[in-house]
């Protein structure tokens, strides 16, 4: 069958005082040097694009949307009024032509 082994003890942050446990202490890890981290001038523009939000003006669109809806309604009403006015003028011209021919 399978042999079960006990977990081994590893000391990362503790310095054991017992001589039997000193060999279980792990060597301290190396810190990352500040010189190894790339600065903003070496980072490619593609990397910077990943940091930026996809749609930076979403809040502007959200705030302006109701105003645009109101403006669209007013524009449609104005177009309808202009068409009605043009049709009325054409009918008046036709009536005047008919009256002029009838005399």
């Amino acid at each position: 069958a399978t042999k079960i082994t006990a977990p081994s003890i590893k000391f990362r942050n503790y310095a054991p005082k017992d001589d039997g446990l000193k060999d279980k202490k792990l060597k301290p890890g190396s810190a990352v040097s500040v010189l190894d981290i790339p600065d903003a001038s070496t980072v490619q523009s593609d990397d910077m694009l990943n940091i930026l939000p996809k749609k930076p003006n979403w809040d502007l669109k959200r705030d302006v949307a109701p105003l645009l809806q109101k403006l669209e309604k007013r524009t449609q009403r104005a177009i309808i009024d202009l068409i009605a006015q043009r049709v009325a003028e054409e009918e008046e011209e036709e009536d005047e032509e008919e009256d002029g021919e009838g005399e």
Side-chain angles (χ1 to χ4, degrees):
T2 312
K3 193 174 193 180
I4 300 174
T5 58
S8 62
I9 297 174
K10 298 177 185 175
F11 296 109
R12 287 191 176 96
N13 298 325
Y14 175 72
K17 308 240 188 269
D18 186 52
D19 291 333
L21 296 176
K22 285 188 179 182
D23 60 336
K24 305 277 186 183
K25 179 164 175 32
L26 296 177
K27 295 180 181 178
S30 63
V32 176
S33 173
V34 176
L35 300 175
D36 294 339
I37 300 173
D39 60 346
S41 64
T42 61
V43 176
Q44 302 228 348
S45 63
D46 294 339
D47 295 336
M48 293 302 287
L49 290 176
N50 292 337
I51 296 171
L52 297 174
K54 299 293 181 191
K55 296 181 179 178
N57 58 353
W58 66 271
D59 57 339
L60 178 63
K61 289 181 181 179
R62 178 197 61 205
D63 295 340
V64 172
L67 301 174
L68 286 176
Q69 287 177 350
K70 186 185 291 186
L71 183 62
E72 183 66 28
K73 288 179 184 177
R74 289 182 181 177
T75 304
Q76 292 297 327
R77 286 184 195 149
I79 291 172
I80 291 171
D81 290 342
L82 287 173
I83 292 173
Q85 184 181 2
R86 188 175 297 163
V87 169
E89 288 175 0
E90 289 176 1
E91 288 178 356
E92 285 179 12
E93 289 176 8
E94 288 177 8
D95 289 340
E96 288 177 4
E97 288 178 8
E98 289 176 5
D99 290 339
E101 292 175 5
E103 289 182 13

